[in-house]
Amino acid sequence: MPFRLTISGVYASALCPMVFTTLRFAITTESRGIMCDEICLREDALLIGRAPIHPGEFLREDYMPELGLSVAGLAKRLGVTRQTVNEIIREKRGLSPEMCLRLGRLFGTTPQFWMNMQQKVDLWNSMELHSEDIKKVAPLEVPELAKAVG
């Protein structure tokens, strides 16, 4: 069960234990070799304890089989090459904003649905790649107001 904490509109949902300290959270979990310490949360922050689902996997496992779409069929409907669709469903390529618009139109979803899924993957991959550099960034001290909330 994910942990959820709400403080003045700021929330975090994660699959790991959290310790509250003046709007800073210390995460003591190791997931795919990443250690995260003191991640400052904002309204748009995302903390997850496992790798998010790539939009290509979602297409491959959920949409395409349910709708009986092949790679060629999906490519034709989207107006792109089979290679493009193949690279997306094999998770070798991310979704561009244009592709999110196309997928949203085709499946009757919003482009933001697809963009959000891709953004979670991008953030996860970036954290994996740059976790040591990110840990070196010293967070700003939170004003007294934040201490009053806790």
Side-chain angles (χ1 to χ4, degrees), residues 8 18 43 48 58 84-85 118 141 143:
S8 303
M18 297 183 141
E43 289 180 17
I48 49 180
F58 193 69
T84 297
V85 170
Q118 183 62 51
E141 289 301 317

Side-chain angles (χ1 to χ4, degrees), residues 49-100:
R50 60 184 166 83
I53 295 173
H54 190 282
E57 178 184 349
F58 193 69
L59 282 169
R60 182 183 69 239
E61 300 296 327
D62 293 328
Y63 273 75
M64 293 174 69
E66 285 290 321
L67 299 171
L69 289 171
S70 64
V71 169
L74 182 58
K76 183 177 180 179
R77 288 181 175 273
L78 290 171
V80 298
T81 66
R82 289 186 315 257
Q83 180 181 357
T84 297
V85 170
N86 191 41
E87 287 175 356
I88 291 170
I89 66 168
R90 288 177 44 231
E91 304 172 40
K92 302 295 182 194
R93 176 188 291 210
L95 299 182
S96 66
E98 178 190 355
M99 182 58 75
C100 293

Side-chain angles (χ1 to χ4, degrees), residues 19-26 38 142:
V19 178
F20 177 64
T21 359
T22 67
L23 289 186
R24 264 191 225 138
F25 293 83
E38 289 192 5
V142 180

Side-chain angles (χ1 to χ4, degrees), residues 34-37 127 130-139:
I34 302 173
M35 288 298 292
C36 307
D37 298 317
M127 187 60 178
H130 304 290
S131 63
E132 291 302 315
D133 293 332
I134 300 299
K135 281 195 240 180
K136 293 175 185 174
V137 176

